[in-house]
Amino acid sequence: AAAGGPKSITDDELEDMLGDLLSALKKASQSRQGQAPRLVAFSCLSRMLSTLCDRHDPDSTPAVYRTLIYALVESDSKPTREFATRCLLSLLEKHEGVPVGILAE
């Protein structure tokens, strides 16, 4: 790459970045700082998952899906759970074939 050009990112670095992002979003989904951070976190997780499903990404999709489901299950706010459930239902309607086996875990 030319000096000052974009640096390529390895698969391991990309995986680490995704892990960091998912950790931050899961933490935000449990925020005690009010409703807004929780709703934004679930909105971001849902949008990210939808995009990965559109791309048929077999590597990142399961981690994002798992994070969304576990954050939903661990949420102690009824309005947040309702919002996250609507996001998930919308996603499941849009993308047939999303694995639901993890819901049983």
Side-chain angles (χ1 to χ4, degrees):
K7 175 185 173 250
S8 46
I9 298 172
T10 67
D11 287 345
D12 286 342
E13 289 172 323
L14 193 58
E15 191 175 313
D16 287 346
M17 284 189 263
L18 177 62
D20 292 345
L21 177 59
L22 292 178
S23 293
L25 288 171
K26 183 158 189 248
K27 184 176 179 183
S29 76
Q30 309 299 318
S31 175
R32 301 283 179 222
Q33 302 299 316
Q35 189 79 352
R38 294 189 296 256
L39 298 181
V40 168
F42 278 109
S43 181
C44 289
L45 285 166
S46 297
R47 184 156 184 177
M48 189 184 316
L49 185 56
S50 183
T51 299
L52 291 170
C53 287
D54 286 341
R55 293 180 182 172
H56 303 285
D57 183 325
D59 300 318
S60 302
T61 305
V64 177
Y65 183 70
R66 220 177 281 107
T67 301
L68 175 62
I69 296 300
Y70 287 129
L72 170 61
V73 169
E74 293 173 2
S75 176
D76 58 2
S77 163
K78 185 176 180 182
T80 301
R81 278 194 315 271
E82 289 173 352
F83 176 79
T85 300
R86 284 193 306 273
C87 289
L88 182 59
L89 288 174
S90 173
L91 194 85
L92 292 172
E93 288 171 1
K94 180 180 177 190
H95 301 282
E96 292 181 18
V98 172
V100 292
I102 194 166
L103 288 171
E105 290 181 17

